[in-house]
Amino acid sequence: MAQHFLLSAQSRTLSLKDIYKAGEEAAYGTFRAMRWSETGGDAVCPRCGCVETYDISTRRKFKCAACGHQFSVTSGTIFASRKMDFTDLLAAICLFVNGVKGMSALQMSRDLDVQYKTAFVMMHKLREVLAAEMRGLELAGEVEIDGCYIGGHIRPSNLKEHRVDRRLAKHQTGTRRVVVALRQRGGRTLPFIAKREGEGVQIASRIVAEGSTIFADEAAHWDDLVRDFPMGRINHSEAYSRHGKHTNNVESFFSRLRRMIRGQHHKVSPQYLHQYASEAAWKEDHRSVANGAQAGRVISLAMASPVSRQWAGYWQRSA
């Protein structure tokens, strides 16, 4: 019997031991190589694009020979103004991708011996760059669509006679949201946050290519998709899969997201739900990629992402 990829040595190409054993200079070199991959790690001025720069080694900065601008390897990126050592930053990314069902900011803060706010913001910055990779993608071929409701329940009462049906709208807190996910078979997963599952009809019309086949359950709101797409419907009260008609792939993503929220974060604010959903989708799509390659992809995305508009320094922007 063949060994599962995640249990094989091929899936483990990066470890904390390797990162700290290599040291700070090696970690710094990794970020340089990812930031300026086209020049083999040689600095390029982010202001004018000049490749002639001076190395200010005492400050780990560079100075452009053309415009005189001083910059660092993280200047203008989502890690701008970072204070953490590059070994710790690389270790954080390693821990982030190794947590296949997520990692709490509290655990990250303890593993790296940093403040909770530092870990919280850093992890949200990483989720932000993962979401950026999915922006503007179009799905084609066979696409599955479904929704998963998250949060909004009131706490159950202690006494049985005081308990109510927490599924009813009048017993919700108003923070309930639905993650509408579309997953291309053999392709990417794109999550969206909405208040009603039916909003997925407009989302599908916008991001699914013409001529694609959409698979959905028997919920009535998906009937509106029949006008624009060939469809395969599955009645889950009768079967989960029949003659190739199923939504098992998108349900796999929902399983990962639920385990991430319940097992690691316990509670997620609607304000941040889209970032957690993006993290779960990215990890679901890259589950068969070695962790070293995953970490390299995250670093490349971070080095290509601009300064965050939501997260400043080590906490949120006030505006």
Side-chain angles (χ1 to χ4, degrees), residues 86-147:
F86 285 100
T87 48
D88 290 335
L89 200 55
L90 185 56
I93 293 174
C94 178
L95 290 170
F96 183 78
V97 299
N98 283 347
V100 294
K101 292 183 176 67
M103 172 181 280
S104 68
L106 180 60
Q107 181 178 345
M108 180 72 77
S109 71
R110 289 176 172 178
D111 287 345
L112 297 180
D113 190 23
V114 297
Q115 290 292 330
Y116 172 80
K117 286 186 176 182
T118 301
F120 183 84
V121 171
M122 178 178 56
M123 295 179 76
H124 271 293
K125 285 181 177 180
L126 294 177
R127 296 183 184 108
E128 188 173 308
V129 302
L130 297 186
E133 186 187 49
M134 306 174 191
R135 196 172 297 127
L137 293 181
E138 183 182 65
L139 304 182
E142 296 182 332
V143 179
E144 301 175 13
I145 187 171
D146 204 354

Side-chain angles (χ1 to χ4, degrees), residues 144-148 178-182 196-204 214-227 229 231 233-234 247:
E144 301 175 13
I145 187 171
D146 204 354
C148 170
V178 59
V179 178
V180 177
L182 296 93
R196 296 176 301 278
E197 190 179 53
E199 295 179 37
V201 174
Q202 287 74 29
I203 296 172
I214 295 183
F215 294 88
D217 57 27
E218 287 295 303
H221 44 254
W222 303 132
D223 295 344
D224 294 337
L225 290 171
V226 177
R227 297 192 301 265
F229 301 97
M231 293 198 68
R233 308 294 291 274
I234 182 68
T247 59

Side-chain angles (χ1 to χ4, degrees), residues 61-261:
K61 283 194 171 186
F62 307 93
K63 184 175 181 179
C64 177
C67 66
H69 177 58
Q70 293 188 16
F71 58 95
S72 70
V73 67
T74 56
S75 293
T77 73
I78 204 162
F79 289 139
S81 303
R82 51 115 210 132
K83 297 178 182 178
M84 296 176 63
D85 291 338
F86 285 100
T87 48
D88 290 335
L89 200 55
L90 185 56
I93 293 174
C94 178
L95 290 170
F96 183 78
V97 299
N98 283 347
V100 294
K101 292 183 176 67
M103 172 181 280
S104 68
L106 180 60
Q107 181 178 345
M108 180 72 77
S109 71
R110 289 176 172 178
D111 287 345
L112 297 180
D113 190 23
V114 297
Q115 290 292 330
Y116 172 80
K117 286 186 176 182
T118 301
F120 183 84
V121 171
M122 178 178 56
M123 295 179 76
H124 271 293
K125 285 181 177 180
L126 294 177
R127 296 183 184 108
E128 188 173 308
V129 302
L130 297 186
E133 186 187 49
M134 306 174 191
R135 196 172 297 127
L137 293 181
E138 183 182 65
L139 304 182
E142 296 182 332
V143 179
E144 301 175 13
I145 187 171
D146 204 354
C148 170
Y149 285 90
I150 301 292
H153 296 294
I154 61 174
R155 290 174 178 264
S157 299
N158 177 38
L159 299 177
K160 182 178 180 180
E161 57 268 25
H162 295 161
R163 295 174 189 169
V164 297
D165 188 347
R166 296 186 294 157
R167 296 170 297 179
L168 300 179
K170 64 180 180 179
H171 296 145
Q172 300 291 322
T173 64
T175 60
R176 191 185 192 197
R177 295 292 184 272
V178 59
V179 178
V180 177
L182 296 93
R183 186 169 188 181
Q184 179 180 322
R185 292 182 179 177
R188 298 303 302 269
T189 305
L190 301 182
F192 299 86
I193 309 303
K195 289 190 175 181
R196 296 176 301 278
E197 190 179 53
E199 295 179 37
V201 174
Q202 287 74 29
I203 296 172
S205 299
R206 189 173 72 250
I207 69 167
V208 178
E210 184 179 351
S212 301
T213 301
I214 295 183
F215 294 88
D217 57 27
E218 287 295 303
H221 44 254
W222 303 132
D223 295 344
D224 294 337
L225 290 171
V226 177
R227 297 192 301 265
D228 301 318
F229 301 97
M231 293 198 68
R233 308 294 291 274
I234 182 68
N235 188 339
H236 285 159
S237 64
E238 298 177 357
Y240 288 109
S241 176
R242 179 172 290 171
H243 308 302
K245 300 177 181 179
H246 62 80
T247 59
N248 292 345
N249 294 294
V250 74
E251 290 289 355
S252 176
F253 158 69
F254 287 142
S255 176
R256 183 184 298 267
L257 179 62
R258 291 190 190 98
R259 290 170 184 267
M260 175 184 291
I261 293 176

